[in-house]
Amino acid sequence: MAPSALETEDHSRDAAFNTAMHGKSADERIPFMAMLKKDPKAQKAAVDEYFKHWDNKEAGVETQEIRDMRKAEYATLTRQQVSSVQSIGLIYYNLATDLYEYGWGSSFHFCRFAYGEGFYQAIARHEHFLAHMMGLRENMKVLDVGCGVGGPAREIVKFSGVNVIGLNNNDYQIERATRYAAKEGLSQKLSFTKGDFMQMSFPPNSFDAVYAIEATVHAPSLEGVYSQIFRVLKPGGIFGVYEWLMTEDYDNENAEHREIRLGIEQGDGISNMVKVSEGLRAIQAAGFTLEYHEDLANRPDKRPWYYPLAGDWSMMGSVWDIASIARMHRYGRFVAHNLVGGLETLGIAPKGTQKTADSLSRAADCLVVGGRKKLFTPMYMMIARKPMESERF
């Protein structure tokens, strides 16, 4: 898909936005403290801009026209528009990153859980499994599409010995990812670059492998982002992805189903989630040969992927997980709601922080229901290869 309909990138403008909203908070070691250090005016403007795409557009009144409009507004939902310090649009992850790190850690994804396995151990194993299925090897040149603050990239570098470039359109996350990589002594193997994954600036045939972990769901078109990945892969190169998809049981005519999907989309900055069949069609339409695909959420694990959000303490794998589960549990989210609201009232937290946290909380509830009803999966694995003889690139 050609990027002609997409907004032209403006990195200097985006850097100005980052400075205006975040200042030096990227250097803050504690995510919750970083959250309190945002510029209040910039934070409020970003919150207002983001939620205008969702307020008064609930599932009961949602139309296909509204969904198409959100896809068309992809740049505003996931990036930012800055013409001056006073004129700020939005970037979703500028609002959510500190809350994600506070509640979940530096790897922004779900995972499977084995018996007795701690939360962060399970997160790392999920990353290792993708690297294993892709056949990543020492010194391969690898692209991480939508790398967040670099948690998976750091783990995969340590696990496989590959050289990774993390692609991210968010200046704040790049700053934090770079800082974490340097702290762990990985800067020689891991770097980060700014860019929109719908219009990558890398030359064709640049990478031995590309992976994406719960990131490409933010694209307005899966075929569009997969086509960009296909272009930058070398012939014979491998692409591995954990994709967020609605299952074939999802029925858009069912009001409850729409409510679940919309809650996930709003709380996670997603313009348009599609079914598994559409994801499979998209990756093949981009030119890939699909070698393996599976919904890992359907494996018979005693602890489901959504258990931390559901807050079932009986499923906790380790006493070391108590603090993590407590933050993610609905009661923990209730405490956070009131704490952040109080801090806003006192002028300590910037306005809009509570609304963002509440949106994430609603998404968490919808993720749990979607998982229990088998309407949604955050871990549809696809392993695909670019043919050695490709006529496209």
Side-chain angles (χ1 to χ4, degrees), residues 115-171:
Y115 175 80
E117 190 173 42
F119 178 77
Y120 292 111
Q121 182 184 359
I123 287 284
R125 182 169 62 86
H126 199 61
E127 295 157 359
H128 297 170
F129 184 62
L130 181 63
H132 164 72
M133 292 294 288
M134 293 175 65
L136 299 187
R137 296 292 182 267
E138 189 83 22
N139 292 324
M140 289 175 70
K141 185 179 180 182
V142 179
L143 178 66
D144 179 337
V145 174
C147 63
V149 297
R154 296 194 300 277
E155 193 64 37
I156 286 174
V157 166
K158 289 181 284 188
F159 178 75
S160 300
V162 294
N163 301 304
V164 173
I165 295 176
L167 178 67
N168 197 321
N169 64 3
N170 183 295
D171 296 85

Side-chain angles (χ1 to χ4, degrees), residues 277-293:
S277 55
E278 172 61 18
L280 293 171
R281 187 206 65 78
I283 202 166
Q284 293 176 88
F288 285 103
T289 299
L290 189 61
E291 295 188 337
Y292 182 84
H293 65 97

Side-chain angles (χ1 to χ4, degrees), residues 50 54 74 77-78 92-93 96 100 217-219 244 263-272 359-360 363:
Y50 179 70
W54 308 100
Y74 154 77
L77 282 168
T78 57
Y92 167 75
Y93 277 109
Y100 271 37
V217 66
H218 294 287
W244 279 31
I264 296 171
E265 288 177 341
Q266 175 181 325
D268 292 293
I270 299 166
S271 62
N272 182 57
S359 180
L360 288 170

Side-chain angles (χ1 to χ4, degrees), residues 97 101 105-108 147-151 154 168 173 176-177 180 192:
T97 293
E101 285 199 68
S106 63
S107 289
F108 301 164
C147 63
V149 297
R154 296 194 300 277
N168 197 321
Q173 289 192 345
R176 291 189 71 79
Y180 290 141
F192 302 93

Side-chain angles (χ1 to χ4, degrees), residues 181-251:
K183 180 181 179 181
E184 295 190 23
L186 298 175
S187 298
Q188 296 301 313
K189 301 280 288 183
L190 174 59
S191 62
F192 302 93
T193 189
K194 181 176 173 59
D196 182 352
F197 56 34
M198 292 297 292
Q199 43 189 329
M200 297 185 196
S201 59
F202 305 110
N205 309 323
S206 293
F207 295 95
D208 300 307
V210 179
Y211 68 85
I213 299 179
E214 301 185 23
T216 45
V217 66
H218 294 287
S221 160
L222 287 182
E223 183 180 342
V225 67
Y226 293 164
S227 294
Q228 285 290 300
I229 290 167
F230 185 91
R231 182 182 66 82
V232 301
L233 259 179
K234 295 177 182 178
I238 195 77
F239 171 45
V241 59
Y242 288 132
E243 193 61 82
W244 279 31
L245 294 166
M246 305 307 294
T247 70
E248 296 307 303
D249 291 334
Y250 173 80
D251 177 7

Side-chain angles (χ1 to χ4, degrees), residues 6 49 199 216 282 330 332-333 346 380:
L6 299 171
E49 179 66 22
Q199 43 189 329
T216 45
R330 61 183 179 275
R333 288 184 265 126
L346 295 172
Y380 199 91

